[in-house]
Amino acid sequence: MFHRTSIRVARSIATRPYYAFSMKAAVVQPVTSMFRLFSMASSQAISNPEMMCRQCEQTKDHYACTTVGVCGKTAETSAMQDTLSHVVKSVSLWANSARETGATEEQLHAANIWTLRAVFSTLTNVNFSEERIAAYIQEGLVIKKDLEKLAVSSTIRPVGPVAETALLGKSLQDFEEFGHTVSIPKRMAAMGDEDCFSLSEIATYGARGACAYAAHCYQMGKMDPDIMKDIHQVFSKLASDEPDMEGLLANVLKVGDINGRVLAMLDDAHATTFGIPEPTSVKMTATEGKAILVSGHDLVDLEALLQQTEGKGVNVYTHGEMLPAHSYPGLKKYKHLVGNYGTAWQNQKFEFALFPGPIIVTTNCVQAPRSAYRSRLYTMNEVGVDGVAHIGEDRDFSKVIDQAQSMKGFKATIEPPVYHTVGFNHRAVLPLAKQVIDAVQSGALSRIVLIGGCDGSQFDRNYYTELAEELPDDTLILTLGCAKNRFIRSEKLMGKTLPNGMPRILDMGQCNDSYSAVVVANELAKALDCSVNDLPLSLALSHLEQKAAAVLLTLLHMGVKNIRLGPSLPAYITPNVLNVLVEKYNLIPTTTAQADVKSIMAGQ
């Protein structure tokens, strides 16, 4: 149970309209048995682990990766990332002090951009290169010194364990050794309260996701000073080891607020830069000819490649979260953007090996490559893999194009082409709102189900395929993120329509397009004169990494309830914190597709 002090603090928070959490000990129930959940109390089971990373849902044994990450991250890389996270907090503290002295956004620009990129590089499946992580650390230390000069007259003097970074040396070994002093076990012991530390980690990983989305915005020239100020405030709060339940709870929900604003900015940036997305049929099978594959999320990189490959006799394919690119007028105008190859990130070792051309990974997610394609794999932006060629900020793809032209590419095939329709952004869906509302009110549409989130490699993620296939024919399925790869090729669902003629599945985009679902839900609620929680809408989210964590916090900040989450919760959520989330927001664990469909159709 919570400490009495924690309960009193939580009750005081419950009286505040903004941070509407309730931690009344009398009503907290032992709900953790419903979820597969790691208890941090068991962290004492491993003494002096080589590493401890549990930021993704897929961590080893649902406990923590303690020797090498399930993602392939080494203990050395994990320690380097811990050091980088420490420097992010220090920079954030000094950035706040500089703002207090009246520093201009121009003076803070370097700190803002560095924060987004440095934090992005710590996400799951982004940066495995110690040298590239070290470069971020070194840059951050220089920025911190510059901020100290700006903050010389500030009355806010950063204090605490990460205010200074004097203990940091200058070599890779120094950075690695320092990382062990700020590891999860060290920081949890310093805080001394596992529930408070759980809240600290929830905010940390959610903030990482928000920074990643904000980095995508910056790629298109969008930066909000207020958002950056709030991001630095979040990391400044995380710099303290004080077991401040009230402040840490507030920090968690602040991350959800920040991420909601970032997603709105990202949605606008995409539409402004590449045109309003529109429903578009995408070829999911190969076209004869030379080929380049692009994976990740940053559409600016894809546009630059399309410009440089135009007229070169090379076809360009999207992979993974790049699939929605085909719906943007500014990108699909390039005729050599011929289709989409492959599925979700976890299958890349097999799919990349079979692709007959070079592959570019612009953002997450990347895996340690097989030798079969290492020599034709290229990384960009925050992505880093030792021994893999990296394309600089000039976006010069000449080597990639040369390699593609030297390879055989795809041969002609007699197999019939397969297509999938993307582009059901909120701008395309809202004009259908009256049709949806009429269908709901007439009984022609029984339920709307959003199936989204991150895909992963566990067998139990087949649940999302089974769930989509088990839903009645008169349900509308909305989907976002790479989880859709579980069912968009299902023979039971492909090409199916509702009784009113609407497509059964509306692909709203990648995880970066999560704002579309928020807009559609809010507008339907307005039209039906009810709250979002009263809509005939059910959410089933596949959780994996930090972007998904950020989206979940945004939904909780909005007060959305009854979210089915699976296949399990991340290891950093303690039973007490889980109890609170279940009590307040009625988070529901996924069980079996058959049982959950019955509950969903009953409005539960």
Side-chain angles (χ1 to χ4, degrees):
M1 298 299 292
F2 284 106
H3 299 301
R4 292 179 181 176
T5 302
S6 299
I7 296 171
R8 287 198 301 271
V9 169
R11 284 176 174 163
S12 72
I13 295 171
T15 65
R16 302 180 183 183
Y18 183 80
Y19 300 112
F21 258 103
S22 174
M23 288 190 177
K24 297 177 181 178
V27 296
V28 173
Q29 301 296 324
V31 298
T32 55
S33 61
M34 297 190 298
F35 286 93
R36 181 155 54 95
L37 179 71
F38 160 75
S39 171
M40 286 198 289
S42 65
S43 62
Q44 304 303 318
I46 296 181
S47 59
N48 299 318
E50 294 180 41
M51 61 181 280
M52 181 168 281
C53 181
R54 57 183 181 211
Q55 69 174 356
C56 77
E57 184 272 342
Q58 215 164 256
T59 191
K60 182 174 173 58
D61 298 328
H62 206 67
Y63 164 74
C65 293
T66 55
T67 54
V68 65
V70 170
C71 65
K73 182 194 302 182
T74 65
E76 292 79 9
T77 302
S78 179
M80 294 282 284
Q81 290 184 341
D82 284 340
T83 296
L84 179 55
S85 296
H86 175 95
V87 177
V88 167
K89 295 171 187 176
S90 184
V91 166
S92 296
L93 285 163
W94 286 105
N96 288 336
S97 292
R99 285 187 175 92
E100 197 266 345
T101 66
T104 66
E105 286 308 311
E106 183 178 356
Q107 290 173 310
L108 290 163
H109 182 74
N112 290 340
I113 302 311
W114 176 86
T115 299
L116 298 181
R117 300 197 65 182
V119 173
F120 198 167
S121 73
T122 66
L123 264 67
T124 301
N125 292 331
V126 174
N127 200 332
F128 298 89
S129 170
E130 290 182 54
E131 289 187 1
R132 299 205 62 227
I133 296 170
Y136 281 121
I137 293 171
Q138 291 163 342
E139 184 181 356
L141 293 176
V142 172
I143 287 172
K144 184 187 76 73
K145 289 182 179 179
D146 292 339
L147 291 172
E148 287 182 38
K149 295 174 184 176
L150 291 173
V152 67
S153 61
S154 173
T155 59
I156 303 175
R157 306 306 297 171
V159 295
V162 298
E164 302 295 343
T165 49
L167 296 178
L168 278 171
K170 295 182 179 181
S171 68
L172 287 177
Q173 184 175 350
D174 290 334
F175 294 159
E176 181 187 325
E177 290 177 354
F178 185 85
H180 292 296
T181 70
V182 291
S183 63
I184 285 176
K186 297 290 186 181
R187 289 183 285 112
M188 183 163 61
M191 186 166 285
D193 185 303
E194 65 179 16
D195 296 316
C196 285
F197 192 72
S198 176
L199 292 171
S200 178
E201 286 203 275
I202 293 171
T204 296
Y205 305 137
R208 288 181 180 179
C211 284
Y213 288 131
H216 294 315
C217 292
Y218 178 67
Q219 285 275 46
M220 292 172 281
K222 299 290 185 179
M223 173 68 66
D224 186 330
D226 291 334
I227 286 176
M228 292 311 306
K229 177 181 178 181
D230 288 346
I231 285 173
H232 283 141
Q233 287 177 345
V234 164
F235 282 111
S236 294
K237 177 62 182 175
L238 294 171
S240 172
D241 288 336
E242 181 185 359
D244 170 21
M245 181 70 70
E246 178 177 5
L248 291 167
L249 277 170
N251 217 31
V252 166
L253 290 178
K254 184 170 184 174
V255 171
D257 175 36
I258 292 169
N259 190 62
R261 290 149 54 200
V262 170
L263 288 175
M265 181 168 62
L266 184 56
D267 173 80
D268 177 69
H270 278 141
T272 301
T273 307
F274 304 109
I276 295 174
E278 52 196 22
T280 303
S281 182
V282 182
K283 189 179 181 184
M284 307 292 278
T285 46
T287 297
E288 182 181 5
K290 311 288 186 180
I292 295 175
L293 183 63
V294 186
S295 190
H297 301 72
D298 274 325
L299 302 185
V300 174
D301 301 318
L302 175 60
E303 180 184 45
L305 176 66
L306 290 170
Q307 291 170 345
Q308 294 177 40
T309 49
E310 194 166 24
K312 299 286 181 66
V314 177
N315 292 326
V316 175
Y317 293 80
T318 57
H319 175 269
E321 293 278 39
M322 277 286 181
L323 172 60
H326 296 268
S327 67
Y328 289 94
L331 296 174
K332 69 178 185 177
K333 69 181 182 181
Y334 294 95
K335 302 305 180 185
H336 60 299
L337 179 62
V338 296
N340 186 78
Y341 170 89
T343 54
W345 66 270
Q346 74 275 4
N347 299 321
Q348 65 183 248
K349 288 192 175 186
F350 172 74
E351 294 173 350
F352 287 4
L354 295 178
F355 187 79
I359 304 121
I360 304 167
V361 182
T362 64
T363 60
N364 58 314
C365 298
V366 69
Q367 293 181 299
R370 294 170 55 189
S371 58
Y373 61 88
R374 176 182 284 271
S375 64
R376 52 189 174 88
L377 182 69
Y378 298 82
T379 60
M380 294 187 68
N381 306 313
E382 297 80 18
V383 186
V385 179
D386 287 330
V388 169
H390 188 79
I391 297 171
E393 294 184 10
D394 60 357
R395 296 189 176 94
D396 180 359
F397 296 105
S398 56
K399 292 182 179 179
V400 182
I401 296 169
D402 289 345
Q403 188 173 37
Q405 291 174 328
S406 70
M407 297 182 68
K408 294 181 179 180
F410 283 109
K411 297 179 180 179
T413 176
I414 60 173
E415 295 180 1
V418 175
Y419 293 89
H420 170 67
T421 301
V422 300
F424 289 100
N425 179 271
H426 63 89
R427 298 171 181 84
V429 174
L430 287 180
L432 304 174
K434 186 178 186 305
Q435 194 175 350
V436 172
I437 292 167
D438 289 345
V440 170
Q441 293 176 333
S442 68
L445 178 61
S446 61
R447 198 85 186 157
I448 304 170
V449 183
L450 172 65
I451 304 176
C454 298
D455 203 1
S457 60
Q458 303 110 311
F459 177 79
D460 48 5
R461 287 182 186 271
N462 288 333
Y463 162 89
Y464 295 95
T465 306
E466 297 167 5
L467 181 70
E469 293 179 343
E470 286 286 332
L471 287 168
D473 292 340
D474 61 352
T475 53
L476 172 63
I477 301 173
L478 308 178
T479 187
L480 283 159
C482 58
K484 63 172 164 276
N485 287 284
R486 289 280 166 176
F487 57 86
I488 59 175
R489 292 170 177 79
S490 166
E491 293 182 1
K492 294 183 180 180
L493 298 170
M494 286 181 65
K496 302 298 182 182
T497 59
L498 295 169
N500 65 356
M502 287 180 60
R504 233 351 262 292
I505 298 176
L506 298 184
D507 187 339
M508 304 184 79
Q510 54 172 286
C511 66
N512 286 20
D513 300 307
S514 298
Y515 181 70
S516 273
V518 172
V519 173
V520 169
N522 282 332
E523 291 302 314
L524 286 177
K526 289 179 185 177
L528 291 170
D529 193 25
C530 65
S531 72
V532 170
N533 291 319
D534 293 325
L535 286 172
L537 170 68
S538 298
L539 286 76
L541 303 182
S542 173
H543 176 78
L544 176 72
E545 47 86 83
Q546 297 76 62
K547 284 183 172 179
V551 173
L552 177 62
L553 293 185
T554 295
L555 293 173
L556 298 185
H557 167 74
M558 292 172 57
V560 176
K561 298 181 178 180
N562 309 318
I563 300 171
R564 276 181 169 76
L565 200 62
S568 57
L569 284 187
Y572 51 80
I573 298 182
T574 59
N576 281 336
V577 172
L578 175 59
N579 284 341
V580 173
L581 295 176
V582 172
E583 176 204 349
K584 180 61 185 177
Y585 299 105
N586 195 33
L587 285 183
I588 305 169
T590 56
T591 57
T592 66
Q594 294 78 8
D596 286 351
V597 166
K598 288 182 180 179
S599 297
I600 286 170
M601 299 313 297
Q604 301 171 353

